[in-house]
Amino acid sequence: MADTIMIANSLGDYLRARRALVAPAEAGLPTTGRRRVPGLRREEVAELVGLSTDYYVRLEQGRAEHPSDEVLDALSRALRLGSAERAHLHDLARPPRRAGAAAAVTGRGEALRPALRQVVEAVPNAPAVIMNDRNDVLAWNRLAAALIADFPNLAPRERNMARRIFLDPDARDIHLDWDEAARTTVGMLRMAAGRRPHDPELVRLIGELSLGSDTFRKLWAGHHVHEKTHGPKHFRHPAVGEVMLNYETFQVPGAAHHLLVIYTAQPGSAAEEALNFLASFACR
């Protein structure tokens, strides 16, 4: 099921989803007359990009192979795609061959260098984790385990933030920004699926979440993509209450899809006091 969800004409599905989001006025087109579809018509996209309608229709139907970078960039402009959406479009247009996909996934290597674990554990006053683009948490410090989840005592498959967001019944109590967290989590998985549509662990994860969460299925159908960079994060902890933090994301050298995420509090804030309180117990 998940394999079908991820790779069945993904490029066409994405183009249809994105053109439905662009109002004609945004593209400089007249808005008069009755429109049977939301957003742009196929012929309008073709005109904006400088393609024949027939070729664009074949793109959406999965019958046009290897569109050029110039065509993809023109589509990105016409559909008003940001940097993450543009990268995703290029990924979908250049899917890896199934024969080489397993080797590519195996070769990525999920095991972290011991020094990287030491780096995360050495962060003293801020929760810090290393995660991959499947949302598996691969390393954490004591403060992250105290605030986010008890990672040391979880089974490896449960150290996955997508599972925790969508399948943990307490997730909405822990993540007070649950709606945004859910949307961005799905967006990260969409990006990963575009890069590696045959990744067996990712396929299993998407299938599990699709079967276990109506919300996940609806968000997945929206084709939103997200690249984790920085932003606010709002937790609730049973011992310290609400904790408002900001996170910054750093690419791990030598591991293309591994991210170091560090959560910080404003100096002098209640959140900083809460982290200091948690740290006093976590370091015992």
Side-chain angles (χ1 to χ4, degrees):
M1 174 182 174
D3 196 46
T4 301
I5 291 171
M6 286 170 54
I7 66 175
N9 191 20
S10 296
L11 176 60
D13 291 342
Y14 189 58
L15 290 172
R16 283 190 291 273
R18 292 303 310 189
R19 70 178 169 87
L21 297 177
V22 181
E26 292 181 285
L29 298 173
T31 58
T32 56
R34 183 177 180 182
R35 305 182 69 86
R36 293 182 297 173
V37 296
L40 300 177
R41 302 184 181 102
R42 290 180 295 186
E43 58 269 25
E44 290 172 334
V45 176
E47 180 182 354
L48 289 169
V49 176
L51 302 174
S52 70
T53 299
D54 176 69
Y55 180 76
Y56 180 76
V57 169
R58 285 190 285 121
L59 274 178
E60 282 202 359
Q61 292 176 345
R63 296 188 293 113
E65 295 184 356
H66 309 302
S68 68
D69 288 343
E70 291 76 16
V71 166
L72 295 174
D73 289 341
L75 284 168
S76 297
R77 291 190 294 271
L79 298 176
R80 308 177 70 83
L81 303 186
S83 59
E85 290 91 351
R86 183 186 299 259
H88 186 59
L89 180 66
H90 279 261
D91 287 337
L92 295 178
R94 306 283 190 271
R97 294 183 179 180
R98 184 183 292 271
V105 171
T106 303
R108 270 191 327 139
E110 296 299 332
L112 295 180
R113 301 192 305 273
L116 284 173
R117 293 185 181 276
Q118 293 167 13
V119 166
V120 174
E121 292 167 0
V123 177
N125 300 317
V129 299
I130 292 179
M131 61 190 298
N132 61 21
D133 58 358
R134 288 195 303 262
N135 277 249
D136 297 316
V137 176
L138 308 175
W140 56 88
N141 65 0
R142 292 180 178 179
L143 198 46
L147 176 66
I148 303 172
D150 187 12
F151 296 118
N153 292 312
L154 292 175
R157 71 182 305 277
E158 297 303 322
R159 298 175 191 150
N160 177 279
M161 292 310 299
R163 285 191 178 95
R164 302 200 67 78
I165 290 289
F166 287 102
L167 303 182
D168 182 353
D170 298 323
R172 290 180 183 268
D173 293 329
I174 298 168
H175 302 271
L176 296 184
D177 53 0
W178 189 89
D179 289 337
E180 180 63 15
R183 184 171 182 271
T184 57
T185 298
V186 171
M188 288 181 66
L189 294 179
R190 267 287 179 194
M191 289 282 286
R195 299 183 190 111
R196 303 185 312 284
H198 305 292
D199 177 340
E201 292 186 39
L202 184 57
V203 168
R204 284 193 290 271
L205 176 62
I206 299 302
E208 181 182 350
L209 297 176
S210 298
L211 291 172
S213 170
D214 291 340
T215 302
F216 178 86
R217 285 197 301 276
K218 292 175 183 175
L219 290 172
W220 185 258
H223 291 268
H224 169 66
V225 297
H226 177 76
E227 189 170 29
K228 194 175 183 70
T229 55
H230 59 87
K233 181 60 191 174
H234 196 181
F235 292 103
R236 178 189 282 129
H237 188 276
V240 296
E242 296 186 21
V243 184
M244 287 289 297
L245 303 175
N246 292 295
Y247 70 86
E248 294 287 342
T249 304
F250 306 90
Q251 184 68 53
V252 175
H257 306 302
H258 290 178
L259 304 172
L260 168 63
V261 187
I262 300 178
Y263 301 85
T264 60
Q266 287 290 337
S269 67
E272 183 182 52
E273 292 182 12
L275 290 184
N276 290 338
F277 178 83
L278 289 176
S280 68
F281 287 93
C283 293
R284 290 181 179 179

